[in-house]
Amino acid sequence: MSFAATMLVALVLDAGIGWPDPLYKRVGHPVVWIGNLISLCEQRWNAGPRNRRIVFGTLTVLLVTGLPMALAALVALILPGGWAGVALTGLLAWPFVAVRSLHDHVAEVARPLGGGDLDGARQAVAMIVGRDITQLDTGGVARAGIESLAENASDGVIAPLFWGVVLGLPGIVGYKAINTMDSMIGHRTDRYEAFGKAAARLDDGVNWIPARITAALFALGTPRRLAHASRVVRRDAAAHRSPNAGWPEGAMAGILGVRLSGPRVYATHRVEEPWLNAGAPDPAARDMRRALRTYMRGMALAGGLLLALAVL
């Protein structure tokens, strides 16, 4: 229950003020510190035969996850008890939740797209996806933004909160280390496939429950679309390239009545992916705004659940 209270503090802080630029300029950000450690390990150890890369990639996972978790556990031990401890732990957990920054990044795409500025929307969406933006029409930009919003609602908000409720401060720190590793080295490319294999598999495991919770929060936050969202998830989520992302993306597709995922073009290759909610139209700018409202309702429900757990 105290863990739920600390995660509620972190969620409220981030939703209210995000991570302010002056604070970032002064102290940086804990996720950036973790990323620097990952980069150091990758530069030193990602070389040689495939088996060696797998071994050292696994060692990287143990180091990058274990060291921050151990430090977080030590800090948690020396914090005071009671409400002072709850407040301080929530303050320390705050930078590991990204509810506001995710909303703001996707809103930066929706704004020019809604004004007919396709080039501006392409430049904004390039900040959150890795696709070849020159190949994106209006529907492609909207799809990319909505998919990023749905998937990262799980990775950036619900999953860290979930592991924070389960394991306290070490849980939210450890999850963020795993997820950062996956985003940096968990790619199916010649350079990262072997070295990042353990990181990618572990990330799939720790996101399994949160992704399904996120889908449920989206659907429950829009009761009139609950049945259709549930049908899309049951039918299409398992076909997604990710064992987890298809759940929140499928729920969002069903709620909005649009199709998501599908083929996409990157700088070096084209990927053929099945559609989520095939047969529905491509999303438009107004659907991005609807997606943002769906996201905020889901996050408000998450806050309500944390509050209920805290006072249970």
Side-chain angles (χ1 to χ4, degrees):
M1 289 184 290
S2 65
F3 289 168
T6 61
M7 293 305 110
L8 181 59
V9 171
L11 178 63
V12 170
L13 279 172
D14 189 74
I17 61 176
W19 192 251
D21 286 341
L23 186 59
Y24 179 82
K25 292 175 181 177
R26 181 174 293 273
V27 302
H29 194 285
V31 174
V32 175
W33 307 339
I34 292 170
N36 290 338
L37 177 59
I38 296 166
S39 294
L40 180 64
C41 292
E42 195 272 335
Q43 291 165 10
R44 290 177 177 270
W45 292 343
N46 188 16
R50 173 182 168 81
N51 287 343
R52 180 185 185 278
R53 293 186 182 205
I54 291 175
V55 169
F56 278 95
T58 304
L59 289 175
T60 296
V61 168
L62 294 174
L63 175 63
V64 173
T65 305
L67 180 59
M69 287 187 73
L71 291 173
L74 180 61
V75 170
L77 282 175
I78 63 177
L79 289 174
W83 287 110
V86 167
L88 288 171
T89 306
L91 187 68
L92 293 171
W94 163 31
F96 299 98
V97 183
V99 62
R100 188 182 183 96
S101 64
L102 176 56
H103 176 278
D104 291 349
H105 276 97
V106 176
E108 286 296 318
V109 181
R111 193 173 298 113
L113 195 65
D117 180 7
L118 179 57
D119 287 339
R122 284 172 170 171
Q123 294 302 318
V125 85
M127 303 297 293
I128 57 176
V129 300
R131 300 172 200 184
D132 181 358
I133 61 171
T134 64
Q135 303 294 314
L136 296 177
D137 57 11
T138 298
V141 170
R143 279 203 313 274
I146 293 170
E147 289 164 18
S148 180
L149 178 68
E151 181 177 2
N152 286 294
S154 176
D155 293 358
V157 184
I158 300 304
L161 291 175
F162 173 82
W163 287 107
V165 170
V166 173
L167 296 174
L169 188 62
I172 192 171
V173 171
Y175 169 79
K176 208 61 184 177
I178 293 166
N179 188 243
T180 305
M181 278 189 288
D182 181 64
S183 67
M184 292 179 65
I185 64 175
H187 306 297
R188 294 179 181 176
T189 62
D190 291 342
R191 176 172 178 175
Y192 294 118
E193 193 276 331
F195 185 76
K197 192 178 188 68
R201 293 288 177 84
L202 183 57
D203 185 75
D204 286 343
V206 297
N207 279 300
W208 198 91
I209 295 174
R212 286 145 181 83
I213 293 174
T214 306
L217 291 170
F218 285 163
L220 291 170
T222 314
R224 61 186 179 82
R225 299 291 293 175
L226 173 61
H228 186 63
S230 300
R231 283 196 298 271
V232 173
V233 168
R234 288 196 304 269
R235 185 187 66 212
D236 297 342
H240 198 279
R241 68 191 181 283
S242 163
N244 298 314
W247 286 74
E249 288 184 25
M252 187 69 81
I255 290 165
L256 302 179
V258 301
R259 64 179 185 175
L260 297 177
S261 193
R264 71 279 311 277
V265 178
Y266 294 91
T268 59
H269 60 289
R270 177 183 173 89
V271 178
E272 298 292 338
E273 298 287 351
W275 292 102
L276 297 171
N277 202 22
D282 277 336
R286 63 183 179 85
D287 296 309
M288 291 199 72
R289 294 190 292 271
R290 294 171 58 213
L292 285 165
R293 291 194 293 270
T294 300
Y295 164 74
M296 293 308 297
R297 288 194 297 268
M299 299 309 100
L301 274 179
L305 285 175
L306 290 174
L307 180 60
L309 287 171
V311 301
L312 186 65

